[in-house]
Amino acid sequence: DGGITQSPKYLFRKEGQNVTLSCEQNLNHDAMYWYRQDPGQGLRLIYYSQIVNDFQKGDIAEGYSVSREKKESFPLTVTSAQKNPTAFYLCASSISTSGIGEQFFGPGTRLTVL
Amino acid sequence: RKEVEQDPGPFNVPEGATVAFNCTYSNSASQSFFWYRQDCRKEPKLLMSVYSSGNEDGRFTAQLNRASQYISLLIRDSKLSDSATYLCVPGGGATNKLIFGTGTLLAVQP
């Protein structure tokens, strides 16, 4: 089955620790995105990548880092510099690299900082 | 002005009712428009793309009014399974990204 997978589903982190969230897709999509969702707010774009070995900052990139070494994979690292990391993290992909095409989401990772 | 404005609801409707959601967007250069549905604690799922001429998919009808910068979603014959949050998502303009609204909560009652 084609789709987007994210792991883990739930993640708990102590303050000061870096954590990496996994995102994999087998849809052969070129573009991949990371968003975070907080209660009562819309999705906010963290980073995006339109091609392998290239990525761009979104609206709230501070305290996060990404890599895009393979087309299928776009992991997100939440660093200790991120002041308020507790949130629902969503990865998406799109066949379009325009940034405004249909995007399809993985099931998300809920990160809680203890 | 917010980039996307939606009535947060909740809209409480009985099964079989017709319900309409409205959304306004601020960027007149937006070029793509979508409705997503999001179940509680789940990921958003694409419901419909919205075309300039309006489009229909079964019980769902989407309309776009570019002059008024307004998008609507009509759901006919509501089902219990339609209960979810509906996100209005325009995209394009200078930023070349999708802008996600905060959503409208629909609760269909038996």
Side-chain angles (χ1 to χ4, degrees):
Chain A
D1 285 338
I4 305 172
T5 58
Q6 290 186 243
S7 63
K9 188 172 181 179
Y10 298 97
L11 185 57
F12 298 88
R13 186 194 97 175
K14 291 182 180 179
E15 281 191 24
Q17 288 181 335
N18 294 354
V19 290
T20 297
L21 282 55
S22 168
C23 177
E24 305 277 333
Q25 54 97 1
N26 61 3
L27 300 168
N28 200 33
H29 286 174
D30 285 309
M32 296 186 74
Y33 304 83
W34 274 105
Y35 295 89
R36 70 176 275 169
Q37 188 174 34
D38 296 280
Q41 296 194 37
L43 277 66
R44 291 184 289 166
L45 183 63
I46 304 172
Y47 267 99
Y48 63 99
S49 169
Q50 294 169 318
I51 195 169
V52 174
N53 291 321
D54 188 47
F55 49 82
Q56 308 295 330
K57 292 182 179 180
D59 300 317
I60 55 165
E62 186 175 351
Y64 299 98
S65 65
V66 294
S67 63
R68 187 89 186 274
E69 297 176 2
K70 298 187 298 180
K71 187 175 185 177
E72 304 78 19
S73 179
F74 191 40
L76 173 75
T77 297
V78 184
T79 75
S80 57
Q82 170 47 236
K83 298 304 178 190
N84 187 18
T86 294
F88 186 35
Y89 289 88
L90 290 155
C91 178
S93 71
S94 176
I95 197 167
S96 166
T97 56
S98 70
I100 60 171
E102 296 170 344
Q103 294 181 15
F104 299 92
F105 287 84
T109 293
R110 257 176 220 285
L111 173 64
T112 302
V113 174
L114 304 172
Chain B
R1 182 182 175 187
K2 286 185 178 178
E3 291 182 280
V4 181
E5 294 203 59
Q6 295 186 251
D7 183 340
F11 283 57
N12 295 299
V13 303
E15 274 187 288
T18 295
V19 61
F21 305 137
N22 303 320
C23 165
T24 57
Y25 60 95
S26 62
N27 188 343
S28 61
S30 295
Q31 299 160 299
S32 63
F33 305 89
F34 307 99
W35 282 100
Y36 281 76
R37 75 168 273 166
Q38 186 173 24
D39 293 289
C40 187
R41 300 179 67 81
K42 300 287 189 181
E43 75 273 23
K45 293 188 177 177
L46 181 65
L47 180 66
M48 297 179 75
S49 301
V50 186
Y51 304 118
S52 295
S53 56
N55 49 301
E56 185 174 313
D57 182 1
R59 299 181 293 108
F60 299 86
T61 300
Q63 297 260 323
L64 169 63
N65 183 321
R66 284 185 185 271
S68 300
Q69 293 177 213
Y70 170 100
I71 311 164
S72 66
L73 177 69
L74 183 77
I75 305 175
R76 289 180 299 278
D77 189 22
S78 298
K79 312 290 185 192
L80 293 175
S81 58
D82 293 333
S83 296
T85 297
Y86 289 83
L87 310 178
C88 171
V89 186
T95 57
N96 274 343
K97 66 179 183 181
L98 299 185
I99 306 297
F100 287 81
T102 53
T104 297
L105 178 61
L106 172 66
V108 181
Q109 314 289 340

